[in-house]
Amino acid sequence: MTLFAAPALADVHHFVALRYERNVDASIKAEIAERFKALKNTSMRNGKPYIMSITGGDGISKDSKEGFDQGFEQGFLVIFASREDRDYFVGKPYSEVMDPSHQAVAQFAEPHFERDANGKVTGIFVYDYIVDGEATSK
């Protein structure tokens, strides 16, 4: 008889929203989106693919009446099987090593993100979470 169930592995969801400088051409934004989504197939850890899923694209904030989009133009959801995989993808401050494929995309994209008056990048929002269940209807 088992008294305690083994902990379930929980997928780590890594949400990324992007906001660009005003003068960035639509073709650059599209290229960044394609390069980011391609990480699903190009990112390797220990010689094997490790990203479970990447979805995303252009926001529909122009159609949204909520008003909470804060000008973000694209959003992506990356799903990892573990925090360790997320840590490798992100690099610092979680890991000394960053996925080289992700690093290349970040280096291409970062100069196009919005900045504040001091030059600090403000055009990226990242939020990680673990799904802890699904809503049920009663």
Side-chain angles (χ1 to χ4, degrees), residues 33-51:
E34 288 308 310
R35 287 184 184 203
F36 194 83
K37 290 186 284 187
L39 290 171
K40 166 72 171 85
N41 299 315
T42 61
S43 289
M44 300 286 161
R45 183 171 183 218
N46 300 321
K48 298 178 184 173
Y50 70 98
I51 297 173

Side-chain angles (χ1 to χ4, degrees), residues 16-115:
V16 179
L18 305 177
R19 182 174 53 223
Y20 296 94
E21 291 283 355
R22 293 184 193 271
N23 62 348
V24 176
D25 189 75
S27 65
I28 296 292
K29 296 174 188 181
E31 184 171 352
I32 290 168
E34 288 308 310
R35 287 184 184 203
F36 194 83
K37 290 186 284 187
L39 290 171
K40 166 72 171 85
N41 299 315
T42 61
S43 289
M44 300 286 161
R45 183 171 183 218
N46 300 321
K48 298 178 184 173
Y50 70 98
I51 297 173
M52 296 175 63
S53 170
I54 296 180
T55 57
D58 292 339
I60 58 169
S61 59
K62 294 177 185 102
D63 299 332
S64 175
K65 295 181 181 17
E66 293 175 303
F68 298 122
D69 59 76
Q70 298 180 30
F72 285 97
E73 301 173 54
Q74 294 173 326
F76 302 92
L77 183 60
V78 186
I79 301 176
F80 302 101
S82 68
R83 288 180 188 217
E84 291 79 15
D85 286 345
R86 185 276 319 260
D87 294 353
Y88 174 72
F89 183 77
V90 172
K92 292 185 179 186
Y94 301 107
S95 169
E96 290 301 314
V97 180
M98 179 181 187
D99 177 328
S101 295
H102 180 216
Q103 189 168 28
V105 172
Q107 287 173 340
F108 175 78
E110 191 266 338
H112 303 289
F113 297 153
E114 183 181 79
R115 297 172 186 282

